[in-house]
Amino acid sequence: MRDALDATPYDALLLLSFGGPEGPDDVVPFLENVTRGRGIPKERLKEVGQHYFLFGGVSPINDQNRALLDALRKDFADHGLDLPVYWGNRNWAPYLTDTLREMVSDGHRRILVLATSAYASYSGCRQYRENLAESLAALEAEGLELPRIDKLRHYFNHPGFVEPMVDGVLASLAELPEEVRDGAHIAFSTHSIPDASADTSGPAEGHGEGGAYVAQHLEVARLIADAVRERSGVEHPWQLVYQSRSGAPHIPWLEPDICDHLEERHASGVPAVVIAPIGFVSDHMEVLYDLDTEARAKAEELGLPMRRSATVGDDPRFAAAVRDLVLERAAVERGQEVTPCALGALGASHNVCPVGCCPARAAKPAAAGVDSPYA
């Protein structure tokens, strides 16, 4: 971690997340926000929202962001880093535009953004940057002085993100019956996205099959599997799998699906499985429903012992990693030499998204990149 706790030139950090409903009446309006512009009928949204209604219409993501917000503020205060932390969402209260307006009103003009997505992809990076540009345009239309906004680099291979997941997998293995533990398979799970989005993820020069999205997840899976082997003395077979697919069935998405994978592993004689949701920062609805409900039901149907390891959430090591990333980026902005903290072979991600990085089908202005109209 950095020695000098100087965040200059930044004067605030924004925790930027997806958002989620906090009651039954919120579910359809939330889904309308998520799917805005796609013309999906309200009755269809009610069908889509059934997994929220199973949990009282409440997504855990907002409470988890509140816990992370508290962890960040505590870590910063405990280490003498004087940097206020705010929180805004793309699709539900507190809305991003409202939070940015509050930050401007409080006098903040150089803002760093931490997105609750660790990997490169359109939905995990550029779409957040497009939302930032939309909010800045709204503030500009109100005649407000615009802040300069920068986004923290992808943190998928920062030790403060990886190490809590290593501990989570080890804890899940320890929970399995002893007679199946050593033969357990590890299924590293992340959100499926269209093949075309994966292939164009990351900088343009790296586009190709799976792009940066798949490469970064495979790197994290390898790092965790290697650490588990070193600490347990057992080499567990593993595979990267996908979940939470949505959209038209004729469009190719990343596979295999986690439930199909469980069936395949069971048929091959695997005695047990640990599902490690490495693609998610916290145990939000897609973890709670797609893994803890659907995948667990599939494992029980197969008679396959299964455990699901924890996400990073508000682990103090993750909060410390965010502090490190803040100080790293601040030092870069001040023109200092910096050695980024990153595990594995891929090295640290770029600080500023280049042109052509994770493009959308329809081009939109995006903040915090080389092509930002708000540089």
Side-chain angles (χ1 to χ4, degrees):
M1 300 300 170
R2 313 295 159 186
D3 293 326
L5 300 187
D6 184 3
T8 309
Y10 297 107
D11 54 29
L13 176 69
L14 168 63
L15 173 64
L16 177 56
S17 193
F18 192 81
E22 300 200 76
D25 293 340
D26 296 344
V27 173
V28 171
F30 163 73
L31 292 173
E32 287 175 333
N33 288 341
V34 174
T35 61
R36 185 179 292 113
R38 301 183 203 171
I40 300 176
K42 183 170 289 189
E43 290 307 310
R44 174 59 182 152
L45 293 179
K46 289 180 181 177
E47 294 175 19
V48 172
Q50 285 306 310
H51 57 285
Y52 287 101
F53 293 122
L54 287 175
F55 298 93
V58 179
S59 167
I61 192 170
N62 279 352
D63 277 346
Q64 289 162 3
N65 280 322
R66 292 183 184 101
L68 178 56
L69 195 68
D70 289 344
L72 292 172
R73 288 170 173 165
K74 181 179 187 304
D75 178 90
F76 288 8
D78 288 349
H79 291 85
L81 178 58
D82 184 16
L83 190 72
V85 187
Y86 293 74
W87 167 39
N89 288 325
R90 289 169 47 191
N91 298 299
W92 201 249
Y95 287 104
L96 170 59
T97 302
D98 295 337
T99 300
L100 281 178
R101 186 184 297 110
E102 177 187 2
M103 296 176 82
V104 169
S105 176
D106 288 347
H108 299 299
R109 297 296 181 269
R110 287 295 303 271
I111 297 170
L112 263 177
V113 174
L114 167 68
T116 54
S117 175
Y119 302 87
S121 70
Y122 171 72
S123 56
C125 183
R126 186 175 177 89
Q127 194 168 16
Y128 282 92
R129 294 174 49 226
E130 290 176 355
N131 294 142
L132 285 165
E134 290 169 0
S135 292
L136 288 171
L139 298 187
E140 187 175 39
E142 295 172 13
L144 297 177
E145 183 179 351
L146 297 187
R148 174 174 164 178
I149 291 180
D150 293 324
K151 180 177 174 291
L152 289 173
R153 65 176 172 89
H154 302 301
Y155 46 85
F156 64 95
N157 56 357
H158 194 288
F161 185 68
V162 174
E163 288 169 2
M165 292 191 290
V166 173
D167 288 349
V169 171
L170 288 167
S172 292
L173 287 167
E175 292 172 2
L176 287 169
E178 188 174 357
E179 62 272 17
V180 299
R181 187 178 305 150
D182 286 354
H185 170 86
I186 306 173
F188 292 106
S189 186
T190 190
H191 205 300
S192 184
I193 62 175
D195 286 3
S197 293
D199 295 345
T200 56
S201 58
E205 64 271 16
H207 289 175
E209 187 175 357
Y213 186 75
V214 172
Q216 290 171 359
H217 281 87
L218 285 172
E219 179 77 343
V220 172
R222 289 189 195 99
L223 288 167
I224 295 172
D226 287 349
V228 167
R229 183 187 67 247
E230 290 169 7
R231 297 184 198 180
S232 69
V234 178
E235 183 160 3
H236 293 272
W238 62 269
Q239 186 171 339
L240 179 63
V241 300
Y242 302 93
Q243 62 177 89
S244 313
R245 177 193 165 125
S246 60
H250 68 280
I251 297 174
W253 283 55
L254 294 174
E255 296 178 335
D257 174 77
I258 178 60
C259 289
D260 294 339
H261 181 68
L262 292 176
E263 288 186 342
E264 293 166 1
R265 293 301 88 202
H266 178 256
S268 71
V270 164
V273 172
V274 167
I275 301 177
I278 62 172
F280 308 94
V281 171
S282 64
D283 289 6
H284 54 60
M285 183 58 72
E286 286 165 319
V287 176
L288 193 66
Y289 182 77
D290 297 335
L291 297 184
D292 291 353
T293 305
E294 284 195 327
R296 187 172 300 281
K298 174 59 69 175
E300 290 174 355
E301 173 193 321
L302 296 169
L304 180 65
M306 187 208 93
R307 297 294 185 273
R308 196 270 291 173
S309 67
T311 52
V312 171
D314 59 346
D315 190 290
R317 290 168 291 184
F318 182 49
V322 174
R323 169 168 41 90
D324 184 60
L325 290 165
V326 166
L327 297 174
E328 172 194 302
R329 182 60 185 274
V332 169
E333 290 298 305
R334 295 194 301 268
Q336 296 176 235
E337 289 290 328
V338 174
T339 301
C341 189
L343 299 173
L346 294 182
S349 183
H350 50 261
N351 278 318
V352 182
C353 292
V355 175
C357 191
C358 304
R361 290 184 178 179
K364 287 184 178 180
V370 171
D371 54 353
S372 170
Y374 299 104

